[in-house]
Amino acid sequence: MTATVLTARALLLDMDGTLVNSDAVVERIWRRWSERHGLDGDEVMKVVHGRQGHASMAVLLPDRPVKQNLADNARMLAEETADVDGVVEVPGAAAFLASLAGLPHALVTSADVALSTARMAAAGLPLPAVRVTAESVGASKPDPEGFLKGAAELGVAPADCVVFEDSGAGIAAGRAAGMRVVGVGARAGVHGPDAVVRDLTGVRVEALADGSLRVHVGEA
């Protein structure tokens, strides 16, 4: 694999599929939901990655009132928070986060505080000090609001941020925020990120003397 080198002043990290492999529980919960609503589970799974639950429901059940989607989403979040069976780190995530200690980075996730806390803990990963969760934004990915908030909280211009994402919605959000995007995992490559890596074992971050970060993607 050819290495790509990106220079940034901050990194913005998605959680599910990027730091944490929660596919098993996401599949369980959303396929149950699909059955309840008479929808094709495979088609539903194409939509839900990267978005907040109520935003996925708005796509899948466009005629349903927003209030009903929000109530359904609250129930789903409670189910997901209670179910961490099979939640593990994406390979290399712990070492990657350890390498970012003291460097500007933030978690930007469509999960809420309770779910992100539960999943990071289940995967044995530390929570970054700066976190943008579902409660922090008015619009779900693919809207860029979350990434723009993350950049603002770190005091870094969007153009100086590199996003790590696995989903089409997340990659689109990073691009819409004016940021470069590293795609993580099998789902990411088809959505046109600036660089793609199988997992986080293939990423190395180097802190430079001027405070910037050099991100090596595609080398072990």
Side-chain angles (χ1 to χ4, degrees):
M1 182 190 290
T2 305
T4 300
V5 180
L6 303 170
T7 302
R9 301 201 79 83
L11 306 184
L12 302 177
L13 317 174
D14 173 53
M15 182 182 72
D16 290 301
T18 301
L19 297 173
V20 170
N21 182 346
S22 55
D23 283 358
V25 61
V26 171
E27 287 267 346
R28 278 197 297 275
I29 301 262
W30 278 100
R31 285 188 182 277
R32 280 204 301 265
W33 184 89
S34 305
E35 286 173 19
R36 286 201 297 270
H37 294 281
L39 299 174
D40 182 280
D42 291 341
E43 293 305 310
V44 167
M45 295 314 301
K46 291 177 186 175
V47 171
V48 300
H49 291 291
R51 290 180 169 87
Q52 291 186 38
H54 64 83
S56 297
M57 292 170 191
V59 173
L60 294 161
L61 297 174
D63 299 326
R64 198 164 76 152
V66 171
K67 189 174 178 182
Q68 203 172 334
N69 288 341
L70 290 171
D72 205 1
N73 185 51
R75 285 192 294 273
M76 296 266 290
L77 281 169
E79 275 186 67
E80 288 185 277
T81 303
D83 183 356
V84 291
D85 187 32
V87 173
V88 294
E89 70 163 318
V90 165
F96 175 62
L97 286 170
S99 78
L100 299 183
L103 304 178
H105 67 288
L107 186 72
V108 181
T109 175
S110 294
D112 64 4
V113 169
L115 181 57
S116 57
T117 302
R119 283 198 178 152
M120 291 289 278
L125 300 175
L127 278 165
V130 177
R131 301 185 287 276
V132 178
T133 61
E135 295 93 338
S136 315
V137 297
S140 170
K141 300 170 186 176
D143 191 281
E145 183 186 356
F147 287 126
L148 292 171
K149 281 204 166 184
E153 285 204 35
L154 293 169
V156 174
D160 290 328
C161 294
V162 169
V163 165
F164 283 76
E165 263 287 0
D166 72 301
S167 71
I171 291 167
R175 286 218 173 282
M179 300 171 181
R180 288 150 300 151
V181 183
V182 174
V184 179
R187 278 193 295 265
V190 297
H191 300 291
D194 295 275
V196 66
V197 69
R198 184 182 58 197
D199 58 42
L200 294 170
T201 61
V203 180
R204 182 169 60 86
V205 179
E206 183 185 357
L208 303 182
D210 66 356
S212 62
L213 309 174
R214 191 175 284 151
V215 184
H216 301 261
V217 182
E219 37 178 80

